DNA sequence: GCCGTTTTCGGCCCGACTGTTTTCAGTCG
């Protein structure tokens, strides 16, 4: 997203938060949040959009359009500046505390003069909070605990961590039937908490959960929340007859649920986690499966990965959802390292692992020599590796493709000469250094690499490491333009530590007909199994088999990239 | 503030759980 679009979304979000603290009408607040959300997922820069374009976006009307125009022209809007005058900026941070919402913040501020987390901590420690109406000893303790949690900053889990927690909870549930839901089920690249629904009863399950919980947050007949290995887990207990609507509700996303419920409402039906009822005193109709709910509403079932209210609901009503890629469509892995650079697998092992995975091919893409730490390959060693691969391929049903993950250096030149690159089956070009360069410099490095005829794929195009390093500052719009022009594929790096590109840009690339390549970037055998994470991101980006290079047969693949 | 196949006014997704309460407000998902 470009800076201006980002700023518009941020300021509308900010306005919503300020209005919350002021205790304004909840629907007005929601309107700002909704507008901010819509803008943050725009595929194009907002500054290029006309007034009519803006008004065409659901949830953006006359007033917010004017404010957007003001932000584009002046960097802010008058009403926001007026509202923020009266409210200390530090108050917003208090909203990050679990159990502390706008009403509480407002009360703390107006009745006790509390404006920072430090103020709040002091007041709670000296037992002054309990003087407020609606506060007691328990609440003081809870607030202190929330402050501690916030300072430890529980970050979102990557998929691998989430898988571990799910496995742990599954072991406690034993034979009880259950499904994961929430962002985990939708396949989001990082997961905030684990949502689970089960038809087993609370009476049976709650005691088992206590055995694996660090802490029980709250415990009930219908829902139990607890912390497991530092992460929050929510379990909903469901009757089998109501399982379909419960799973649908718990899977979300929130925006998907709201939109679907609005549509149900407009047809005189109320949809919740227990079923669907006629709005005027009808009986509750229940559904055992999600498919049954979708069928009743007249929709094609929406795969969980698509449930983000990005147009999939409308498409499901006209039975026109895109075909999505499946794990079984994958014919090979297009990014693997061997022990010729920093990987652990020999070339023989690569071939064997590829056969075991049922792959037709694997792209051996070791680092080029410029990347000192990775024992990268010189021009000479590239040749040597090629001979070795040729030998192994004679007896392997999984063809090892010769390749390289060549460095895009600080000046945009590549780490190996064209004469070397030209002899390889496929070339990935990636940035591994100079992350802090100016946006324009970084962007031009990528563009220059794409314009090289020998470069087939751009590896981990934004360079992010989830929870560790933000994406580098590139103009993704320009990258997509040039990728389309030069027929360069962009990678969906399937490593759970990267997932780069993520679903948003994948969708944009896919909509523009840009080809995508899924690679695990495996350095050891276990990492070859990460392919599923990449496939999931592709699905979230609305990709079908035809959008992904490595669904192709070998001959087709090489034909497409020469 | 947005929006319209009951509406240009009067709705806006819906429910669980907790703490501090004597019936509910606040928060969360």
């Amino acid at each position: 997203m470009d800076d201006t679009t980002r700023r518009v979304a941020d300021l509308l979000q900010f306005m919503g938060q300020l209005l919350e603290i002021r205790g304004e009408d909840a629907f007005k607040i929601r309107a700002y949040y909704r507008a901010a959300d819509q803008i943050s997922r725009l595929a194009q820069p907002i500054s290029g959009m006309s007034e009519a374009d803006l008004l065409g976006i659901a949830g953006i009307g006359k007033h917010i359009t004017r404010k957007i125009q003001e932000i584009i022209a002046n960097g802010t809007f008058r009403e926001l500046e007026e509202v923020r005058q009266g409210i200390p900026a530090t108050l917003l941070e208090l909203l990050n505390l679990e159990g502390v919402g706008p009403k509480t913040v407002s009360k703390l501020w107006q009745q006790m003069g509390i404006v920072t987390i430090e103020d709040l901590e002091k007041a709670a420690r000296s037992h002054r909070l309990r003087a407020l109406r609606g506060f007691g000893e328990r609440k003081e303790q809870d607030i202190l605990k929330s402050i501690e949690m916030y300072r430890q900053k529980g970050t979102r889990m990557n998929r691998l961590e989430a898988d571990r927690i799910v496995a742990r909870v599954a072991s406690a549930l034993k034979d009880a039937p259950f499904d994961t839901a929430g962002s985990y089920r939708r396949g989001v690249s990082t997961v905030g908490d684990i949502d689970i629904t089960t038809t087993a009863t609370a009476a049976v399950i709650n005691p088992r959960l206590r055995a694996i919980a660090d802490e029980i947050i709250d415990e009930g007949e219908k829902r139990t929340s607890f912390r497991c290995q530092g992460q929050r887990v929510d379990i909903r207990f469901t009757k089998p007859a109501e399982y379909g609507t419960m799973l649908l509700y718990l899977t979300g996303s929130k925006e998907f649920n709201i939109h679907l419920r609005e549509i149900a409402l407009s047809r005189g039906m109320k949809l919740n986690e227990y079923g669907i009822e006629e709005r005027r005193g009808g009986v509750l109709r229940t559904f055992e499966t999600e498919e049954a709910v979708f069928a009743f509403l007249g929709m094609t079932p929406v795969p969980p990965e698509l449930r983000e209210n990005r147009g999939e609901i409308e498409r499901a009503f006209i039975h026109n959802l895109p075909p999505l890629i499946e794990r079984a469509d994958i014919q090979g892995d297009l990014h693997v390292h061997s022990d010729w650079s920093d990987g652990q697998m020999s070339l023989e092992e690569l071939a064997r692992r590829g056969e075991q995975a049922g792959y037709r091919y694997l792209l051996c893409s070791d680092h080029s020599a410029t990347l000192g730490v990775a024992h990268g390959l010189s021009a000479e060693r590239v040749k040597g590796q090629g001979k070795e691969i040729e030998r192994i391929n004679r007896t392997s049903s999984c063809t090892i493709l010769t390749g390289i993950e060549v460095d895009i250096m600080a000046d945009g030149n590549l780490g190996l000469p064209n004469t070397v690159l030209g002899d390889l089956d496929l070339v990935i070009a990636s940035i591994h250094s100079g992350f802090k360069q100016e946006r324009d410099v970084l962007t031009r490095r990528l563009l220059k690499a794409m314009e090289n005829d020998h470069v087939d794929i751009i590896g981990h195009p934004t360079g992010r490491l989830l929870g560790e390093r933000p994406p580098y500052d590139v103009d993704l719009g320009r990258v997509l333009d040039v990728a389309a022009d030069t027929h360069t594929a962009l990678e969906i790096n399937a490593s759970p530590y990267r997932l780069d590109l993520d679903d948003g840009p994948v969708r944009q690339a896919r909509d523009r007909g840009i080809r995508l390549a899924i690679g695990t970037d495996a350095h050891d055998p276990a990492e070859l199994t990460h392919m599923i994470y990449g496939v999931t991101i592709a699905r979230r980006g609305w990709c079908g088999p035809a959008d992904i290079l490595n669904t192709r047969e070998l001959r087709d693949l090489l034909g497409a990239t020469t």
Side-chain angles (χ1 to χ4, degrees):
Chain A
M1 197 181 336
D2 69 291
D3 294 343
T4 308
T5 310
R6 172 85 272 155
R7 181 165 181 86
V8 169
D10 286 348
L11 290 187
L12 292 176
Q13 174 87 14
F14 184 34
M15 183 71 175
Q17 291 177 317
L18 292 172
L19 294 179
E20 276 210 272
I21 289 175
R22 278 184 31 153
E24 302 271 340
D25 176 58
F27 296 108
K28 182 171 171 177
I29 293 161
R30 207 184 101 186
Y32 276 102
Y33 286 144
R34 199 168 163 216
D37 179 61
Q38 289 287 48
I39 286 162
S40 68
R41 46 171 89 173
L42 282 180
Q44 50 183 317
I46 198 164
S47 41
M49 297 178 70
S50 70
E51 191 168 323
D53 290 338
L54 291 173
L55 287 169
I57 300 170
I60 296 183
K62 217 169 54 184
H63 292 88
I64 288 187
T65 294
R66 197 169 311 136
K67 280 154 196 162
I68 292 171
Q69 291 167 334
E70 255 187 88
I71 297 170
I72 293 172
N74 307 325
T76 182
F77 59 99
R78 190 178 48 81
E79 263 187 82
L80 174 75
E81 293 307 315
E82 283 170 12
V83 172
R84 81 198 290 182
Q85 281 303 311
I87 299 176
T90 52
L91 275 184
L92 295 175
E93 196 183 6
L94 295 180
L95 290 172
N96 295 324
L97 301 173
E98 195 165 302
V100 176
K103 296 287 197 312
T104 304
V105 168
S106 172
K107 190 185 267 183
L108 290 169
W109 170 42
Q110 298 190 350
Q111 297 187 19
M112 303 213 72
I114 289 169
V115 295
T116 65
I117 290 185
E118 288 69 32
D119 293 346
L120 180 59
E121 187 178 18
K122 267 186 216 156
R125 282 200 195 287
S126 58
H127 308 304
R128 284 185 285 130
L129 289 184
R130 60 185 69 170
L132 288 173
R133 188 178 169 76
F135 282 71
E137 191 182 339
R138 189 59 207 270
K139 195 107 187 175
E140 279 179 345
Q141 288 170 7
D142 286 351
I143 283 181
L144 287 173
K145 206 191 286 178
S146 294
I147 291 174
E148 196 188 336
M149 287 290 300
Y150 174 66
R151 288 188 175 142
Q152 288 175 7
K153 196 67 179 178
T155 48
R156 291 175 70 83
M157 292 166 266
N158 67 39
R159 299 293 309 184
L160 214 50
E161 293 165 325
D163 280 344
R164 276 189 217 118
I165 305 228
V166 168
R168 179 126 174 90
V169 177
S171 73
L173 293 176
K174 295 181 195 155
D175 48 338
F178 75 94
D179 273 300
T180 55
S183 57
Y184 180 83
R185 181 169 182 237
R186 299 200 309 280
V188 182
S189 51
T190 60
V191 177
D193 64 3
I194 302 288
D195 295 297
I196 284 175
T197 178
T198 177
T199 50
T201 64
V204 172
I205 299 299
N206 279 341
R208 295 191 198 166
L209 296 179
R210 277 183 224 126
I212 60 159
D214 313 336
E215 169 201 14
I216 302 287
I217 297 168
D218 47 45
E219 186 179 79
E221 287 298 305
K222 300 193 167 185
R223 192 191 76 201
T224 292
S225 302
F226 61 103
R227 223 172 286 286
C228 178
Q229 299 179 356
Q231 301 290 352
R232 186 184 170 115
V233 181
D234 289 341
I235 299 203
R236 285 296 297 258
F237 304 103
T238 319
K239 293 181 200 158
E242 299 168 351
Y243 201 73
T245 41
M246 180 61 81
L247 185 56
L248 184 69
Y249 152 72
L250 207 59
T251 298
S253 63
K254 185 178 165 199
E255 290 72 22
F256 176 89
N257 284 348
I258 289 176
H259 193 187
L260 199 59
R261 288 174 179 200
E262 282 170 350
I263 289 173
L265 206 54
S266 73
R267 298 177 174 194
M269 295 180 290
K270 195 175 82 172
L271 167 65
N272 61 25
E273 57 262 55
Y274 302 112
I276 297 177
E277 62 185 307
E278 297 287 322
R279 212 177 174 193
R280 299 222 173 96
V283 287
L284 183 73
R285 184 188 289 264
T286 60
F287 303 87
E288 285 184 26
T289 64
E290 284 187 328
E291 288 71 25
V293 184
F294 285 120
F296 179 78
L297 292 171
M299 305 166 73
T300 303
V302 181
E305 295 92 333
L306 295 187
R307 300 182 197 169
E308 299 291 343
N309 193 26
R310 294 175 181 163
E312 72 282 357
I313 292 176
E314 290 72 14
R315 296 278 292 264
F317 271 111
I318 57 171
H319 307 295
N320 188 26
L321 284 173
L324 297 186
I325 182 174
E326 310 264 355
R327 173 66 182 76
D329 295 322
I330 296 294
Q331 302 296 316
D333 190 330
L334 288 183
H335 190 157
V336 178
H337 294 271
S338 79
D339 61 4
W340 282 64
S341 67
D342 60 346
Q344 290 177 17
M345 292 174 280
S346 65
L347 295 172
E348 284 88 354
E349 183 171 8
L350 274 189
R352 200 172 67 241
R353 296 280 177 180
E355 287 181 331
Q356 285 168 3
Y359 285 153
R360 310 310 299 270
Y361 49 82
L362 277 179
L363 175 61
C364 179
S365 48
D366 279 311
H367 293 284
S368 63
T370 44
L371 199 62
V373 290
H375 312 295
L377 271 55
S378 61
E380 198 120 311
R381 291 186 68 217
V382 170
K383 277 207 177 112
Q385 191 186 46
K387 287 203 178 116
E388 185 70 11
I389 287 173
E390 199 180 322
R391 183 181 65 79
I392 292 167
N393 278 344
R394 286 190 210 122
T395 56
S396 170
S397 68
C398 172
T399 302
I400 298 184
L401 299 172
T402 60
I404 195 87
E405 183 181 9
V406 65
D407 253 347
I408 302 173
M409 297 187 295
D411 56 6
N413 287 319
L414 300 178
L416 285 167
N418 285 335
T419 49
V420 176
L421 302 181
D423 287 339
L424 298 169
D425 291 324
L426 289 172
V427 172
I428 302 176
S430 308
I431 288 182
H432 290 109
S433 59
F435 308 132
K436 303 259 158 109
Q437 289 177 332
E438 293 282 316
R439 180 184 180 86
D440 191 52
V441 177
L442 265 164
T443 304
R444 277 190 299 186
R445 278 167 81 184
L446 285 178
L447 303 189
K448 190 168 171 186
M450 286 189 282
E451 280 157 2
N452 183 311
D453 284 343
H454 299 297
V455 171
D456 302 293
I457 300 166
I458 295 295
H460 43 74
T462 79
R464 71 174 184 176
L465 288 176
L466 291 167
E468 283 181 44
R469 189 172 73 202
Y472 27 73
D473 189 15
V474 297
D475 185 339
L476 213 53
R478 285 170 69 196
V479 171
L480 293 181
D481 286 341
V482 175
D485 289 347
T486 59
H487 303 290
T488 309
L490 300 179
E491 179 176 69
I492 298 175
N493 190 292
S495 164
Y497 303 102
R498 290 187 183 272
L499 295 176
D500 177 14
L501 298 173
D502 206 345
D503 47 23
V506 167
R507 170 87 184 271
Q508 290 177 38
R510 173 258 187 204
D511 286 350
R512 302 185 52 177
I514 294 165
R515 293 183 297 201
L516 295 145
I518 306 179
T520 59
D521 207 349
H523 287 67
D524 64 48
E527 289 175 351
L528 287 170
T529 63
H530 294 164
M531 179 57 72
I532 184 63
Y533 299 126
V535 171
T536 300
I537 294 296
R539 290 170 63 85
R540 288 182 54 78
W542 292 47
C543 291
D547 301 309
I548 304 295
L549 271 183
N550 39 323
T551 61
R552 303 186 184 206
E553 294 299 328
L554 181 56
R555 183 186 310 202
D556 191 12
L557 171 73
L558 293 178
T561 51
T562 47

